[in-house]
Amino acid sequence: MLLNRRPDAERFLSRPDPAIRAALIFGRDLGVVRDRAQGLASKIVANPDDPFDVAVLSERDMADDGGRLEGELAAQSLIGGRRLVRLRLSGDSVPIDRLAAEALERHSKGELNPDAFLLIEAGDLAKGSALRKAAEKQAGAAAIPCYEDEPGDVARLVRETLAKDNLNLNADALALFVARLPRERGVVRQEIERLVLFLGPGSGVQGAATDLEAFLGVEPDASLFDAAADAFGGRIAEAQAGLRRAAQEGEGGPAAVRAMGMHLARLRKVVTLVLAGAGAQEAAKASGVFWKQEREVLRQVRAWKLEDLDRLQPELLAADRACKTTGSPDRLIAERLALAVASRAKRLGL
């Protein structure tokens, strides 16, 4: 069945219908897909990371063994009780789409282990997708499309996430912060994490708009944007020269790290949209890439994968935190970060 209305989807995600044996969560914003899937997984089993109760499959697993998914769905839990089988899809392979559809259809009819739950995460599936059709058609399955967050959704996510660390923003600060955030859920969470570190986890602070000025700063000027683009493009000497030029113009290390973070976020959004089926140029435009930078960004997108960008994110967070430590050599920290990024880009073939 199709749960297209937000209230219906939220109701199911918070209290899954025991008659439903499979769920397909899909959409262009993979960050929203992952969030909803993780929330649902926690309702199905006590520990979604427990290897005894949970099996996690990828497209590679399906390609290597076409019967692997049905085999996992037929297996019993090693310690008894509910079993969760998760399938994560990132591409648009027609054979894998059909294999997943067949397994979902059989399982939703109760032909496999009735104590197992099938949870599939996918990108922006076309209406002609066999998997999407099967999930929408079967009474024992739920198809949940995910859409880009609205400002109200982002504001709620900011409030809820900050509250977990005993932090808050007043109305003006919240509006300012949300206005400066992108709409891709994964990037939003990374920016909230940076804000938590800035305000101080567990400090009980309620941030005001004036408090966010130092965190948000001004938009980096052209030198910092160029340096960030050069770093992610594998041009080490140019990136260092751009950072030094920006330093002469009065821009410090925190602004340089923020510029690299913004470039990473933009690359990540383009890559995510392309994986969801968008054309490369369409994805670049939707991500706010300036037309003069489009060719270079698309060159970088062909080399940087989501997993490469995700592995780099902790280094940016660490550099951002280090730059804001009293007495730290923030410009040197930013240069070292740019060098690390550029070196990794070169290893990726840029």
Side-chain angles (χ1 to χ4, degrees), residues 153-162 185 188-189 192:
D153 301 318
V154 178
R156 183 172 60 253
L157 178 62
V158 171
R159 286 195 301 268
E160 291 174 353
T161 308
L162 291 180
R185 179 71 70 89
V188 168
R189 283 202 177 277
I192 299 173

Side-chain angles (χ1 to χ4, degrees), residues 57 62 65-74 85 87 99-100 103 118:
L57 305 182
M62 296 282 287
D65 182 357
R68 175 78 182 277
L69 179 58
E70 290 197 4
E72 294 288 355
L73 288 169
V85 179
L87 174 61
L99 283 173
L118 173 60

Side-chain angles (χ1 to χ4, degrees), residues 52-348:
F52 294 104
D53 283 335
V54 182
V56 181
L57 305 182
S58 66
E59 286 181 345
R60 173 66 63 184
D61 296 320
M62 296 282 287
D64 292 343
D65 182 357
R68 175 78 182 277
L69 179 58
E70 290 197 4
E72 294 288 355
L73 288 169
Q76 301 292 319
S77 171
L78 293 178
I79 58 177
R82 200 80 187 271
R83 176 171 168 77
L84 173 63
V85 179
R86 301 182 70 169
L87 174 61
R88 290 171 174 157
L89 304 177
S90 57
D92 55 358
S93 169
V94 174
I96 291 177
D97 183 81
R98 288 175 178 168
L99 283 173
E102 291 169 4
L104 180 145
E105 186 169 350
R106 287 195 64 198
H107 184 58
S108 63
K109 290 179 178 178
E111 297 179 10
L112 303 172
N113 177 12
D115 289 327
F117 189 92
L118 173 60
L119 174 55
I120 303 177
E121 304 165 43
D124 193 17
L125 297 175
K127 290 185 178 180
S129 159
L131 175 58
R132 179 173 171 177
K133 287 180 177 178
E136 292 178 357
K137 176 183 176 182
Q138 295 299 318
I144 304 174
C146 298
Y147 304 104
E148 188 177 73
D149 283 329
E150 298 293 333
D153 301 318
V154 178
R156 183 172 60 253
L157 178 62
V158 171
R159 286 195 301 268
E160 291 174 353
T161 308
L162 291 180
K164 293 177 182 177
D165 281 287
N166 193 27
L167 297 169
N168 195 8
L169 296 177
N170 67 23
D172 290 342
L174 181 62
L176 174 62
F177 185 58
V178 170
R180 293 284 290 272
L181 288 173
R183 290 293 174 265
E184 204 277 312
R185 179 71 70 89
V187 180
V188 168
R189 283 202 177 277
Q190 291 163 5
E191 287 300 297
I192 299 173
E193 184 178 348
R194 285 204 319 120
L195 181 60
V196 168
L197 293 173
F198 176 77
L199 295 175
S203 64
V205 166
Q206 181 184 55
T210 52
D211 298 322
L212 293 188
E213 290 177 1
F215 174 78
L216 296 172
V218 296
E219 295 296 336
D221 65 5
S223 295
L224 289 183
F225 275 124
D226 291 343
D230 285 333
F232 279 88
R235 294 183 289 271
I236 296 174
E238 291 86 344
Q240 288 183 318
L243 289 178
R244 289 168 184 167
R245 185 168 59 252
Q248 292 173 353
E249 297 165 357
E251 296 288 359
V257 173
R258 177 169 172 77
M260 283 184 271
M262 292 173 66
H263 192 82
L264 183 149
R266 189 158 289 148
L267 281 181
R268 196 180 191 288
K269 183 169 185 180
V270 176
V271 172
T272 299
L273 291 176
V274 170
L275 286 174
Q281 288 184 314
E282 175 191 70
K285 289 182 173 63
S287 303
V289 176
F290 187 47
W291 67 270
K292 288 185 178 181
Q293 300 168 331
E294 186 176 285
R295 176 180 290 184
E296 173 58 19
V297 168
L298 294 182
R299 183 181 78 93
Q300 295 178 18
V301 163
R302 286 191 289 270
W304 286 96
K305 308 302 181 188
L306 273 182
E307 53 267 29
D308 298 319
L309 296 171
D310 287 344
R311 279 195 291 266
L312 190 59
Q313 185 64 38
E315 297 181 34
L316 267 75
L317 288 170
D320 181 75
R321 185 166 55 247
C323 281
K324 293 170 181 174
T325 302
T326 303
S328 66
D330 59 279
R331 291 176 183 171
L332 179 58
I333 292 169
E335 282 197 33
R336 286 177 177 171
L337 176 63
L339 178 62
V341 172
S343 297
R344 196 165 302 179
K346 289 182 74 68
R347 290 197 295 272
L348 294 174

